[in-house]
Every structure is written in structure tokens, then in C-alpha cells.
Amino acid sequence: MIYPDNAAEKLGFTDIKKLIKTKCLSEAGKELVDKIQPQKRLDQLDKFLRQAHEFKELLLNDAPLPVDHLYPLKPLAEKARVEGVFLSESDFFTVLLSLNTVFAIIRYFNERSGTYPNLEVLFEHLPIEKNIAVAIERVIDEKGKVRANASPALAAILASIAKAEQEARKRIDQVFRTAQQNGWTADGNLTIRDGRLCIPVLAESKRKIKGWIHDESATGQTAFIEPEEVFHLNNQVRDLEFEKRREIVRILTALTDQLRPHIPLLIDYHNLLTKVDFVRAKALFAIDIEGHMPELSKEASVSLVNARHPLLLLNFKGSGQTVVPLNVTIDQTQRIIVVSGPNAGGKSVCMKTIGLLQLMVQAGLLIPADATSKIGIFNRIFADIGDDQSIESDLSTYSAHLSKMKYFSDHADAKTLVLIDEFGTGTDPMFGGPIAEAVLETLNRKGVRGVVTTHYSNLKVFASNTEGIENASMLFDNVAMRPLYILQTGKPGSSYAFEIAQKIGLNNAILQAAKQKIGAQQKRIDTLLVDLERDKKDVYDAKIAIAQKERQLARLKADNEQLQAYLEDNKKTIINKAKEEAREIIRNANKLVENTISDIKASQADKQKTKLLRQQLDAELNKHTDRPAIPVPKSKQITSQTVSIEVGDWVKIPGTGNEAEVIGVSKNNLVLAMGELRMVKKRNEVEPIAKKNTAKASRTTYHANMSADVANFRPEVDVRGMRTEAALYEIEKYLDKAVMMGFPSLKIVHGKGDGILRRFIRDYLRKYGEVTRLEDEHPDRGGEGITYAYLD
């Protein structure tokens, strides 16, 4: 699939595999990494990518997966398969630890059934065979040794050994004390020689103690003697040790026979541990390179959005530099991209990024590009990168390039991705350029997809005049004379040969001589490309500025729509309130008129009485009549900057003409009341006006209600167990009250769980203008299960 054999190494794919291997915990996992190869089956690739994506989400957002002991089970299972062979104590201890890890992993995913469907496929239908672990635990203890009570015979042997050792020690202590009393012993205590406990005896006294001499000191003045009466007891202990070993072998053999029927299941367990380790390593590497799963396509196409070279990204992380993202599309209409531009401008990195990410996706690896990227499947990937001259094969640089071009032309088709660096170089440009153009024409005619980097002008002209081939260039700042590493398709780029030579200080006379030696037509083309590059840079900058303005406009539009909806909702409330007040006024007016008529009749239409009643009626009427506002001279106007605003003052909201009463003051925020409507405004957003003659009882009611709200309100909301929409609605109510009442923070209890509700809540709070920062609760008091939102 990949040609030549070293293409994967030159694209950096071998280095990617080495980095993934460092993430593996087992040798079996590392062996799987070594076997990674690009695949062609779409369904298989989709499964591999989804498994890596799900494991990445698990590592980032879920509880740690229990992978403490990943030991190879397959070699031990194969060993136990042979009749008559038994596993050692350490072998069984390894099996037990691995089994516990397998069972923990299966339970972990069973508890999250349906959350990670593609990872669950790894152990589908695998049972938890606890009988194996129970049988091993009966024999092997926590330290990996055979238990003393593994069998009655072993228990009896161990008891006999302990008794014999105790008797031997008692006897030798008696002999040692006697020898000491008689002055036969040398300085020192009992010592071990040849595995036997001996007494250090002076050479002249060695005949006075019956026994066997096991050793002498270097000077020959001390002999190490095992007393005769202890010798027989030690032989008895040794015989018991042999008997103990035979019993342990019998127990381990029986346990191995008990394990043998489960060998196929043990191998399945081994495969599960290996695959978990392998997918885990891929997910850890994806986290390091900020990898995502792209959209897969059956078509032979590439559409990368904000793609970055993974090795370059890792290298830059340590130095704090950033990688300029790459955006490129290769499809049916734009099959081959011819990239031109100055040296060190990023052409080769651009091409290698495309090739490496394609290999990674077809190997089931996540890539450092947006999830909106779309990657197709290629049957072959051909690459011509670097110098492949060979003394053994008698190939020059250009001959090596030509041999690859021949292979590409013969074997490439519409499902082939071709990557050629510095197309046509290595020979006379007058001949290399036309040959490269002819090869490019052949590849295009076959519908090949690919990327070509070049400095040849004829290839740029050919690309601009040929359907299916598109020019592209790496943007260059020709004022600061530095590359921008941004790929832009549609136009070729200049090599900036003279400009770069001038910047590094090449003699001006040499530059002028060189300019005279090139043709006038070539000079005009290069000048045109430089001007075109400058225009492209201006267009690119303008495009960025327009995009920023569009984002700002969209944000303002969304804010306006939200405000409009808020006003509409409150408009209905105000109208309903006004209607109710109007109905109350009419009822009161009817009663007043009826009472006035009744009083007039009772006074028999007395003029003075009638006049007084009429004045009272007019006075009641004037209470509900709006009076025109008396204009205040500019010199006497009151502003929020000159007069302090306190609770009970009245203010005017510019732009709307509405007036509201101040019912709360917190720092620079004012809590305003318009009837039943409450709102929060900054001091500089309102204009103070003269106090209104409102009923004291009404004002007292507002203040009392506000005080009661503040007294009863707790800036804490518990949304555990709620759906996302209900939780956000509840948080919004509490958040509004906290802002209106001037609380510095709001405590939100959402629980840990899978972290999904926490992520939605935090994303919502970041969009709330009054929230300045978010923090987790102290780990001892809830940690990530509680969020504190601090308010402005």
C-alpha cells in the first residue's frame, strides 16, 4: 500500500508509533503497536477510531480505569497446556493479578453499559470466571507463596519441620553453653556453614566436641563444628524440606490440571488486556496531540480543518511556540495541489502533514485537526521525499527520483494519494521542468490525488491552465521578509530568491548581475507573483477582519434578540398589571360617583355641599391623571455622577423614558422596580430624578419585600438528578436573584457523575456576562461535584 518502503518513516509515521509504544504498560501492547498498518476497510477503520475516541473521553471525563496489573497470560496458558507441566508459585500469582484486573475492567464497563458501545465490543460475551481465581487463592497467598494450609499433608510437614528445627536449636544451644563454660569456643556466636548451624571452636579444643567440621577460619585457629547430636536432627529437617517440596509440586500440579480446561478463556483474557492496553495508549497519545476523530468518507478525498503536524506540535509544546493550522481540500475537482513559495516557507511540512495525517487515520489513530475534517480512504500512498541516491544500486539523486516517477505513473490510480517534494529537481531545470510537467499530466489524467511542491514556473503555469490541478502557495510577509506558514489555494507563490538573498546580505553587485542574466519574461513573472503575494496577504488580512466583525455582529444580534424576548415577556406582565389596576380604578370610581350622588341627594342639592363634593371627585380623578413632566434647566439637572443614589430614590432609564424606584444598591449595581418588574442597572446607565410623591405604604412594601427576599434567599442551588434544560433554568433564576441582591457568588451543586452536567453548566455560565470566574469546591467538601460562580 505504501511505496517506497521508507515512505512511512520519512513522513514521520514510524516516530508516531514509537511515541505510542511509550504509553503501553505491557509488552503485548507494544507488539500490537509495532503491527499497526494503514487499513482500507471503512467499517474497520470507523470501529478503531471510535474506540480510540471513546477511550479518550473516558480518560478525560470518567473515573480511572483499573489497569494496575497487565501481565501476559498467553505464555503461561501455553505452558499449562502441556500435560505433566506445572506452573510455579510466581506464575500462579501473575495469573491471579491479571485475572483480578480483567474482572475489574469488565465490571467497570458493565456498570456503564451503553456509554462506551465500541469499547464494550472488546470483551463482548466474555464471562467473569471467578472459579479460576478462587481456586488459585486457596493455594497462593497475598505474597505469591503457597499457603501453609494448602493441603493437610503440607500443614503436617511444616509442623514437623518447625518442631525438628526447634529441637535442633535447643540441642545446639546446650552444647554451645557447655563449650563456652569450658573455654573451648572462640569469640563469636553460632554461625552458618554450608547451610548448617555450627559452633566456632578453638583449634586446640576441636577434639573435645564430637561432630563434623564444616569449615575453618583463614588462620586455622577456629574450627566450625556441627555437634553429633544436632547432625541427625538437621538431616531430619532436610528430609522434611525435600518432602515439603514434593508436596508443593503435587499441589501446583493439581492446580495446573484444574486450570487446564480454562486455557482458551485465559487466552481470551490475555487478548482483552492487550487490546485495552493498546487502545489506551492510542487515547493517551491523542490527548497529547489534542487529537479528534474526523468524519470518514468512502471517496478518495481529504478535507483538513485546522490541522497540525503532530510531531511539530509536541516539539513546540515544550518551547511554548504554536503551530500554524493547515486548511486544505483535495477532492474530485481539486485533485492535485501544486504548492510553491520560498524556501523554509513550510511547503514540505504542509505536504508531510497531509500524508502523515492520512496514514494515521487509516491506521485508526485520532489526528490533531477539527472534528469537522473529512478523510477518505486511499488504496495506495506514494511518496517521493528527500534524497534516495544509492551507490550500491548505481542511482544518482535524479535517477532515484525518475525510478519513483516511473512507478507512480505505472501503478497510480484514482484511489492513490501521491506526495512529491521538490518535483523535478536534481537535474538541469531546462529538462527537469518539462519531464516533471509530463509526469504531472499523466498522473492528472489517471485521476490521482496528491500534493506536489515545486519552484518551477512551468509547473505553476501548467497548474493554472489545467483542470483538476490547483495552484497553492505558502503566504510570505514580503515587508518583514518572513514566512507566515499559511497555505492559500488558488494562486502560485514566488520563491523570493532575490529578496531573501538581499536580506541575508548578498553583495548588491552580484544581485544586479544575476537579475540581468535571467530572462525579461521570467523577471516579469516573478515580479507579478510577488505583487500577487502582497495582494493575497492584504485580502487575507481583510478576510480575517471581516470574520471578526461578523462574529461581533452575530453576538450583538443574539444579545438583541435575547433582550427583545425579555422585553416582550415583561411587556405582557406590565400590561396585565395595568389592566388590573385600571379595573380597580374603575371599581373605585364607580363607588365614588355613587357615594357622591347619594351625598348630593342627601343634602338636597345644596350648592356649597355639591361644590365640595365635586372638588373631592376632581381630586380623586387627578390622582390617576398623568401630569406633564416639568423640564429641568440643564444647569440644574441632576446626574448620577454629582448626586449619590440611595434606596428609595427614583431614576430615569435613558432611551426608554421609563422611570423606576431604587429598591437595592450593591457597589456599582442598582436594583430597580417598575411595578412588579425588577431589573439591574449600572449607576452610569440611569439618570436621577426628583423623588415622587408615592404612598409611603407602597414604598415600605417594596422595601419590606426586598428585605424579606434578601433575608430568605440563599445563594445555593442543588440541580443533582435534573435534566440539563431544567438544571439551567433553575440556575438562571438563582443567578438573576444573586445579581439583583448583590451576592458575590453562587454555589451550584451538580454532582460528579460522568461530568456531562458539569460541562453544560460551565459552558452556560461562561456566556453569562455577570460571571467573572468559576471554581471547584475544596476536594474535602465536594471537589468537582460543586461549582462556585463568582459575580461582578
Side-chain angles (χ1 to χ4, degrees), residues 52-65 67 108 116 119 276 279-287:
H53 173 72
E54 288 180 358
F55 216 121
K56 187 189 92 167
E57 292 299 311
L58 180 153
L59 292 172
L60 291 175
N61 303 313
D62 212 332
L65 185 70
V67 287
Y108 182 94
Y116 307 108
L119 288 177
V276 167
V279 181
R280 175 181 173 275
K282 292 199 300 181
L284 287 172
F285 179 71
I287 293 173

Side-chain angles (χ1 to χ4, degrees), residues 581-605:
E581 290 178 354
R583 282 193 290 269
E584 184 66 24
I585 290 170
I586 291 171
R587 283 195 294 269
N588 293 337
N590 288 336
K591 289 180 182 179
L592 181 61
V593 171
E594 290 173 358
N595 292 338
T596 302
I597 293 172
S598 176
D599 290 343
I600 291 173
K601 287 180 179 180
S603 65
Q604 296 181 353

Side-chain angles (χ1 to χ4, degrees), residues 558-570:
D559 292 344
N560 185 54
E561 290 175 350
Q562 185 178 3
L563 180 60
Q564 186 68 27
Y566 176 78
L567 292 175
E568 285 294 328
D569 291 342
N570 284 278

